[in-house]
Amino acid sequence: MNPNKALWEKGDFTRIAASMRESGEAVVAGLSITLGLKVLDLGCGDGTTALPAAKQGADVLGVDIASNLVEAGNRRAQAEGLTNCRFQEGDATNLSELADRSFDLVVSIFGAMFAPTPFDVAKEMVRVTRPGGRIVMGNWIPGDPTLVAQILKISSSYSPPPPEGFVSPMTWGIEANVSERFAAAGIPAERIAFARDTFTFRSAGTPAAFVADFRDYYGPTMNAFAAAEQNGKSAELQQELEALFERQNQSKAAGATSIPATFLRVTVTR
Ligand SMILES: C[S@@+](CC[C@H](N)C(=O)[O-])C[C@H]1O[C@@H](n2cnc3c(N)ncnc32)[C@H](O)[C@@H]1O
């Protein structure tokens, strides 16, 4: 089994995505979606950005490597009566089922960054975008002090070293790496814009309950707990994550969680 696919089919990312809806909608609100715009949401999960784009009138295809998330996305679109939004399985490193130049906008919010072989990902995103179209990525930033970069950093410190040749997904948060990958796909630097933005995770439960969601449902954290368990360190990992979530919680409502996280927004004009 493809380990990238196995990682994301593990657990149930919909439980984390439930905390991402508000910011997902805000990201889409900034994309100038027009009626009938052809949008590909790559690494779409269960549709945090695909559904809002469809509600604004775009014709949306969500592609994700995880079959359980594709099913969840199709269920959500159906429940909302969105006939202009469908989901199918696919791998961002090889989108051979999609025609060249077939989308006006390719969006990937914390999605394609998790695929291996980033040069292939850039090439595929560029290939399926029409000339004059846009690619918009949201990428977590390595070394950033906010939530997700820290979860991934803490998780990796409890995990075995990655296999040789592994390229960290976090390198998509480094401007020079992003430019290099798109340059190799034929996009000059002046067609790439970078901006820092904020994505807020909101959960009705406490920060500790939110950590439990990551431990029980988020593949990368599940793997870190499994590795920590083997070394008798799972309580330590739990404590470290709870301290992080408590520290970063900005919710004014008692017992609730609201944590902002900084990301790199990349906008490419094809
Ligand atoms: C952190 S989740 C984000 C999901 C969604 N974009 C959102 O904002 O809720 C990362 C997503 O990328 C998907 N993914 C990881 N590797 C992929 C690949 N090679 N091709 C397509 N999707 C991939 C995962 O299955 C998962 O749904």
Side-chain angles (χ1 to χ4, degrees), residues 4 8 13 20 43-45 48 64-66 69 90-92 109-111 114-115:
N4 180 221
W8 292 99
F13 184 76
M20 299 168 66
C44 56
T48 295
D64 199 282
I65 201 163
L69 299 177
D91 186 336
I109 305 301
F110 323 129
F114 288 103

Side-chain angles (χ1 to χ4, degrees), residues 3-59:
N4 180 221
K5 181 174 167 70
L7 175 69
W8 292 99
E9 287 183 346
K10 197 169 193 154
D12 180 3
F13 184 76
T14 67
R15 304 291 290 253
I16 307 299
S19 69
M20 299 168 66
R21 304 300 189 213
E22 205 177 303
S23 281
E25 282 172 22
V27 167
V28 171
L31 293 178
S32 312
I33 302 258
T34 48
L35 198 67
L37 195 79
K38 290 193 65 109
V39 175
L40 170 66
D41 188 338
L42 194 53
C44 56
D46 67 352
T48 295
T49 44
L51 264 69
K55 282 181 191 166
Q56 290 196 11
D59 183 7

Side-chain angles (χ1 to χ4, degrees), residues 10-267:
K10 197 169 193 154
D12 180 3
F13 184 76
T14 67
R15 304 291 290 253
I16 307 299
S19 69
M20 299 168 66
R21 304 300 189 213
E22 205 177 303
S23 281
E25 282 172 22
V27 167
V28 171
L31 293 178
S32 312
I33 302 258
T34 48
L35 198 67
L37 195 79
K38 290 193 65 109
V39 175
L40 170 66
D41 188 338
L42 194 53
C44 56
D46 67 352
T48 295
T49 44
L51 264 69
K55 282 181 191 166
Q56 290 196 11
D59 183 7
V60 183
L61 174 66
V63 167
D64 199 282
I65 201 163
S67 58
N68 53 332
L69 299 177
V70 167
E71 271 171 37
N74 277 322
R75 269 198 309 273
R76 290 183 70 226
Q78 221 165 24
E80 301 238 17
L82 291 167
T83 52
N84 55 334
C85 185
R86 65 192 178 84
F87 294 78
Q88 70 185 40
E89 225 178 291
D91 186 336
T93 63
N94 179 359
L95 297 168
S96 54
E97 68 282 12
L98 303 180
D100 295 359
R101 306 171 171 205
S102 47
F103 295 94
D104 301 304
L105 171 64
V106 174
V107 186
S108 190
I109 305 301
F110 323 129
M113 68 171 285
F114 288 103
T117 61
F119 281 89
D120 293 335
V121 172
K123 193 175 108 218
E124 285 297 78
M125 288 194 292
V126 170
R127 181 183 66 76
V128 301
T129 306
R130 72 160 171 80
R134 287 171 293 156
I135 300 167
V136 177
M137 294 183 86
N139 299 332
W140 300 120
I141 302 165
D144 186 82
T146 61
L147 189 74
V148 184
Q150 290 299 312
I151 295 175
L152 294 170
K153 184 175 166 209
I154 292 168
S155 296
S156 67
S157 72
Y158 286 84
S159 307
E164 212 179 301
F166 174 81
V167 182
S168 166
M170 301 301 282
T171 54
W172 274 109
I174 300 169
E175 294 181 19
N177 286 133
V178 175
S179 298
E180 189 190 13
R181 290 161 190 178
F182 280 113
I187 303 292
E190 61 271 19
R191 286 179 176 252
I192 309 174
F194 297 102
R196 304 251 155 168
D197 209 337
T198 302
F199 199 98
T200 300
F201 291 80
R202 287 187 204 283
S203 167
T206 60
F210 199 30
V211 170
D213 286 342
F214 277 84
R215 184 194 61 214
D216 297 340
Y217 301 114
Y218 182 64
T221 315
M222 293 170 78
N223 281 353
F225 269 98
E229 186 75 51
Q230 288 190 345
N231 300 321
K233 288 189 165 178
S234 59
E236 206 179 296
L237 172 56
Q238 175 91 18
Q239 247 171 15
E240 211 175 323
L241 289 174
E242 282 184 12
L244 169 74
F245 281 49
E246 290 283 359
R247 214 167 43 239
Q248 305 221 344
N249 183 22
Q250 294 187 1
S251 175
K252 303 240 176 334
T257 306
S258 170
I259 305 182
T262 306
F263 69 96
L264 180 68
R265 182 152 40 82
V266 179
T267 305

